[in-house]
């Protein structure tokens, strides 16, 4: 779509962005602004997450955990793991760049703020109480290498600090005064405010997810069933990005995610299966061909919208067929504690197993079984339950 869009814009001269008016007020407006900043910032680094995450998957597949083609001491095994670890370690730098791009100012400032959080000289003070200070003010020291909120908060403040110095600086010395003044002001803000507050909020998000990622199998299973069944409605309401952002945060905190992404993967295969059931049951050649195209688009390409609007919301009982598959997948997800170790990318038959494989053989098997059960249940329900004589 992106390539076609680019060509059409070039041919027609239509502006690349539309004017959007946010007429919401109060808390809703604040929420929309926060989401409008955090979502593109997090999504902006997904390509790197995908690439580095797949390197981790390759290491697991060829390493001693699965195929045992290479040993844990193999240079190739070490290299693939190093790529993934590098992405996680320098995550604040990646997010700093993405945040500044979202806020539309020089991303070098975001890169530098992220680098300050993982600087070796700063990290050397971890565990050494009351030894690090900014302008004589003691500040807490922690490991921010896999943090997300400190740099995201700092980039917002930095934008206004930068504008202030650009406004007051004489032109003849602005090249020196603007970056110097911005850095000098941001040092106490970053280390004394944004880093500790961001770290605290990050832990709060983690605690909220731990309510569902529970050792008690009953509580955990109820949570995964709930999210699996809720995901179609979140998609229809355009609210799925909210929980996806929380899931990314949880993944950053723990190195895996077991509350949102596994049930969402089960949902994906359940909705693809709805189109398969329709394609097998429909008699009309045109409708049958459309259903096959929806199935192939999803199963092979990871795009669920055609199945959603072409089958699930088009025929009577279509939504019920989808929810049955989602519930079955959510049930297995909670019972077997399925985890996702890689985020980003499209969920299709060619790529979905990689997110499970990084967790080892057991997690790969239960992840695949979860998706297969969701697929079979929804395909059967779509074939036997849906009323293809009644369009909604």
């Amino acid at each position: 779509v992106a390539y076609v869009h680019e060509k059409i814009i070039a041919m027609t001269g239509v502006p690349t962005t539309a004017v959007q008016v946010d007429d919401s007020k109060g808390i809703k407006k604040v929420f929309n602004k926060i989401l409008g900043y955090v979502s593109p910032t997090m999504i902006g680094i997904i390509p790197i997450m995908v690439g580095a995450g797949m390197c981790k998957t390759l290491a697991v597949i060829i390493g001693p955990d699965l195929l045992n083609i290479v040993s844990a001491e193999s240079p190739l095994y070490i290299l693939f793991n190093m790529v993934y670890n590098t992405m996680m370690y320098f995550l604040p730098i990646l997010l700093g760049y993405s945040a500044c791009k979202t806020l539309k100012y020089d991303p070098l400032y975001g890169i530098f703020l992220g680098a300050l959080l993982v600087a070796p000289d700063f990290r050397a003070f971890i565990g050494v109480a009351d030894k690090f200070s900014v302008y004589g003010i003691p500040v807490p020291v922690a490991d921010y290498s896999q943090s997300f909120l400190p740099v995201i908060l700092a980039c917002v403040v930095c934008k206004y600090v930068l504008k202030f110095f650009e406004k007051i600086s004489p032109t003849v010395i602005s090249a020196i005064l603007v970056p110097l003044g911005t850095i000098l002001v941001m040092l106490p803000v970053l280390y004394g405010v944004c880093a500790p507050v961001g770290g605290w909020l990050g832990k709060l998000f983690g605690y909220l997810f731990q309510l569902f990622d529970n050792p008690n199998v009953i509580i955990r299973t109820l949570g995964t069933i709930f999210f699996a069944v809720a995901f179609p409605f979140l998609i229809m309401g355009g609210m799925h990005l909210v929980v996806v952002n929380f899931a990314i945060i949880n993944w950053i905190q723990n190195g895996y995610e077991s509350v949102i992404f596994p049930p969402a993967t089960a949902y994906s295969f359940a909705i693809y299966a709805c189109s398969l059931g329709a394609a097998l049951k429909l008699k009309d050649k045109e409708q049958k061909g459309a259903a096959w195209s929806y199935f192939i688009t999803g199963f092979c390409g990871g795009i669920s919208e055609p199945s959603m609007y072409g089958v699930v919301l088009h025929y009577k009982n279509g939504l019920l067929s989808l929810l049955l598959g989602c519930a079955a997948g959510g049930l297995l997800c909670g019972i077997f504690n399925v985890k996702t170790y890689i985020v980003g990318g499209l969920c299709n038959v060619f790529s979905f197993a990689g997110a499970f494989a990084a967790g080892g053989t057991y997690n790969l098997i239960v992840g695949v079984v979860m998706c297969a059960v969701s697929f079979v249940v929804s395909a059967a329900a779509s074939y036997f339950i849906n009323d293809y004589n009644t369009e909604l």
Side-chain angles (χ1 to χ4, degrees), residues 23 37 60 102 107 148 168 172 208 236 251 275 327 334 352 367 382 389:
D23 57 358
Y37 167 51
V60 172
T102 301
F148 70 100
I168 67 168
V172 68
L208 292 175
M236 288 184 276
W251 171 75
S275 291
F352 82 103
S382 180
N389 295 316

Side-chain angles (χ1 to χ4, degrees), residues 6-291:
E6 184 178 332
K7 294 294 183 182
I8 291 175
I9 294 301
M11 292 169 61
T12 62
V14 175
T16 57
T17 57
V19 177
Q20 297 180 349
V21 179
D22 184 2
D23 57 358
S24 58
K25 297 179 181 179
I27 295 177
K28 183 178 179 181
K29 185 171 184 177
V30 173
F31 178 79
N32 287 342
K33 284 185 175 294
I34 294 174
L35 185 61
Y37 167 51
V38 175
S39 288
T41 297
M42 302 295 285
I43 292 171
I45 65 170
I46 281 182
I48 300 300
M49 286 182 172
V50 173
M54 290 308 296
C55 285
K56 174 71 172 180
T57 300
L58 290 173
V60 172
I61 291 173
I62 67 175
D65 291 332
L66 280 180
L67 301 181
N68 200 24
I69 297 174
V70 299
S71 68
E73 291 76 30
S74 165
L76 186 61
Y77 184 83
I78 293 171
L79 175 65
F80 284 159
N81 277 294
M82 183 191 72
V83 171
Y84 177 79
N85 293 334
T86 298
M87 181 272 294
M88 292 297 293
Y89 182 85
F90 292 108
L91 189 65
I93 296 177
L94 299 174
L95 283 169
Y97 171 84
S98 185
C100 289
K101 292 285 287 185
T102 301
L103 294 171
K104 295 181 172 59
Y105 73 98
D106 190 348
L108 285 175
Y109 285 96
I111 291 172
F112 188 64
L113 291 173
L116 287 172
L117 291 172
V118 297
D121 290 347
F122 173 70
R123 288 175 54 82
F125 286 95
I126 295 176
V128 182
D130 302 325
K131 292 295 184 179
F132 188 80
S133 64
V134 179
Y135 308 146
I137 305 172
V139 297
V141 180
D143 182 0
Y144 298 113
S145 61
Q146 296 183 17
S147 64
F148 70 100
L149 273 176
V151 71
I152 286 180
L153 294 174
C155 285
V156 175
V157 179
C158 183
K159 179 178 180 178
Y160 294 99
V161 174
L162 181 63
K163 282 186 175 180
F164 172 77
F165 281 103
E166 288 176 340
K167 183 177 181 180
I168 67 168
S169 298
T171 304
V172 68
I173 59 171
S174 62
I176 296 175
L177 184 58
V178 171
L180 176 61
T182 302
I183 291 173
L184 292 178
V185 170
M186 285 306 301
L187 285 174
V189 172
L190 176 67
Y191 287 127
V193 180
C194 294
V197 170
W200 179 82
L201 289 175
K203 290 180 180 178
L204 178 61
F205 284 127
Y207 292 145
L208 292 175
F209 269 81
Q210 285 176 11
L211 295 176
F212 297 101
D213 185 17
N214 199 292
N216 186 305
V217 66
I218 296 176
I219 296 176
R220 183 176 66 235
T221 302
L222 289 175
T224 53
I225 292 174
F226 170 78
F227 280 111
V229 172
F231 217 78
F233 300 99
L234 293 172
I235 293 283
M236 288 184 276
M239 292 297 294
H240 59 292
L241 283 179
V242 177
V243 295
V244 166
N245 283 325
F246 287 146
I248 294 175
I249 291 167
N250 191 41
W251 171 75
I252 291 171
Q253 296 288 332
N254 300 318
Y256 66 87
E257 210 289 310
S258 61
V259 179
I260 301 297
F261 286 132
T265 305
Y267 150 79
S268 296
F269 282 91
I271 198 169
Y272 306 155
C274 288
S275 291
L276 176 61
L280 295 174
K281 188 68 175 285
L282 284 165
K283 302 299 182 183
D284 182 83
K285 288 185 177 181
E286 185 175 341
Q287 293 179 335
K288 193 180 190 73

Side-chain angles (χ1 to χ4, degrees), residues 231-232 235-236 264-278 291 294-295 298-299 302-313 318-319 321-323 325-326 347 371 374-375 378-379 382:
F231 217 78
I235 293 283
M236 288 184 276
T265 305
Y267 150 79
S268 296
F269 282 91
I271 198 169
Y272 306 155
C274 288
S275 291
L276 176 61
Y294 304 154
F295 169 68
F299 193 70
I303 308 298
S304 64
E305 284 79 4
S307 295
M308 174 68 78
Y309 299 105
V311 174
V312 173
L313 299 180
L319 184 59
S321 299
L322 172 60
L323 295 180
C326 290
C347 184
C371 294
S374 296
F375 186 88
S378 277
S382 180

